[in-house]
Amino acid sequence: MARSLLLSVTLTVLFIGVVSARDWNILNQLKGTTTTTKTSETAVVSLKGPNLNGYCESWRVNVELNNIRNFLVVPQECVWFVQKYMTSSQYEEDVERAIDEAVLYLGKTCCEKKTCDGMDAWIFDIDDTLLSTIPYHKSNGCFGGEQLNQTKFEEWQNMGKAPALPNMVKLYHEIRERGFKIFLVSSRKEYLRSATVENLIEAGYHGWSNLLLRGEADEKKSVSQYKADLRSWLTSLGYRVWGVMGAQWNSFAGCPVPKRTFKLPNSIYYVA
């Protein structure tokens, strides 16, 4: 009788444990632990809990994996986490690892300066790929906590003060010196061309084959379609696009698919 009772209790505990694990959610665990503090810029939600780091890291990783899409703002409880990551040495190491992988890939391509026929191409995006927008987010104190103010952002872009991403200038010139034609494909508007060219040169970039920005007709398209159309155009001219590097998934979406893509981390905003 005692053994049967013990077995029954044990099974009940195990069953409760399984159900609890299945229904467990970090947001449920954080209920009742929320404290809200307001700054002059925005209301910042501060959630105190041992598992918040894990939740925010999971959110960030799933943004990078393109599982979380079309978000307008970073969850308020994770804005501090995104800011901490994007201004950390870990972010710089993650960028460097992507660059290392690109260098390894370059060694496997058939393009060498002595043998290239001038039709081997590489595409770079600009914002958060060649040039960093982190100073903008630092000065505006949002890091995705508010929807991007396009007017203010373009005013900042027009100042031409964006720094180069860590180690990116070296990769850019290694690709160029191997004989690849470099095409810069950006969702920046055409009126920002002069400021963009000056900023790129100041940051250490030069020698690209073409800088492609969005004209009025392009603004009717999604960014993904605009960039896919440009890849189609390059392919129609006979270019072989060996690689595309960007910080948004819109750099790779659609056809034709490049031979290789390199995604850089950026969970501050999402552009489809």
Side-chain angles (χ1 to χ4, degrees), residues 176-270:
R176 189 175 65 84
E177 290 166 5
R178 282 176 175 266
F180 288 90
K181 299 288 185 177
I182 293 181
F183 293 89
L184 309 184
V185 177
S186 173
S187 59
R188 288 189 177 202
K189 295 179 180 178
E190 182 61 41
Y191 84 90
L192 293 168
R193 178 173 293 275
S194 294
T196 300
V197 169
E198 291 176 8
N199 195 166
L200 286 165
I201 293 173
E202 182 69 23
Y205 303 104
H206 57 80
W208 57 81
S209 294
N210 206 339
L211 169 61
L212 301 161
L213 304 178
R214 294 180 84 185
E216 290 185 11
D218 297 318
E219 291 180 28
K220 298 176 183 178
K221 307 175 185 177
S222 67
V223 175
S224 298
Q225 187 61 55
Y226 155 71
K227 291 183 177 180
D229 288 348
L230 287 178
R231 290 199 306 274
S232 294
W233 174 66
L234 290 173
T235 302
S236 72
L237 296 177
Y239 285 103
R240 298 176 290 273
V241 180
W242 286 89
V244 177
M245 180 169 275
Q248 292 285 318
W249 282 96
N250 61 43
S251 294
F252 321 122
C255 294
V257 178
K259 294 179 183 291
R260 187 72 191 270
T261 61
F262 295 91
K263 169 73 169 64
L264 297 177
N266 181 3
S267 49
I268 299 176
Y269 57 89
Y270 188 98

Side-chain angles (χ1 to χ4, degrees), residues 159-176:
M159 292 170 61
K161 300 297 184 181
L165 249 71
N167 302 302
M168 193 58 70
V169 174
K170 182 179 179 181
L171 173 66
Y172 173 94
H173 287 296
E174 180 166 348
I175 292 173
R176 189 175 65 84

Side-chain angles (χ1 to χ4, degrees), residues 116-136:
C116 279
D117 59 4
M119 300 306 290
D120 295 294
W122 191 282
I123 295 174
F124 282 103
D125 200 342
I126 294 178
D127 289 310
D128 294 306
T129 302
L130 296 182
L131 300 176
S132 173
T133 69
I134 289 177
Y136 170 82

Side-chain angles (χ1 to χ4, degrees), residues 23-41:
D23 296 339
W24 185 87
N25 183 294
I26 183 119
L27 295 182
N28 292 335
Q29 307 305 308
L30 294 170
K31 285 180 180 177
T33 63
T34 305
T35 58
T36 304
T37 57
K38 291 190 176 181
T39 67
S40 58
E41 292 292 330

Side-chain angles (χ1 to χ4, degrees), residues 16-127:
I16 291 173
V18 170
V19 172
S20 298
R22 184 180 299 166
D23 296 339
W24 185 87
N25 183 294
I26 183 119
L27 295 182
N28 292 335
Q29 307 305 308
L30 294 170
K31 285 180 180 177
T33 63
T34 305
T35 58
T36 304
T37 57
K38 291 190 176 181
T39 67
S40 58
E41 292 292 330
T42 184
V44 179
V45 179
S46 175
L47 297 178
K48 298 179 179 179
N51 295 308
L52 184 57
N53 278 356
Y55 167 72
C56 291
E57 175 65 1
S58 177
W59 183 88
R60 187 191 69 79
V61 168
N62 276 277
V63 167
E64 302 299 351
L65 293 173
N66 208 27
N67 293 330
I68 296 175
R69 307 181 183 186
N70 300 315
F71 63 90
L72 297 178
V73 294
V74 173
Q76 284 295 314
E77 64 269 25
C78 294
V79 171
W80 68 274
F81 186 89
V82 170
Q83 177 176 358
K84 182 179 178 181
Y85 169 74
M86 293 297 293
T87 57
S88 70
S89 60
Q90 183 61 55
Y91 165 74
E92 295 183 1
E93 289 174 9
D94 291 344
V95 170
E96 187 173 3
R97 175 54 60 87
I99 290 173
D100 289 344
E101 291 301 318
V103 171
L104 288 173
Y105 170 68
L106 286 171
K108 299 176 183 177
T109 66
C110 62
C111 183
E112 293 290 343
K113 196 165 187 178
K114 294 180 180 179
T115 59
C116 279
D117 59 4
M119 300 306 290
D120 295 294
W122 191 282
I123 295 174
F124 282 103
D125 200 342
I126 294 178
D127 289 310

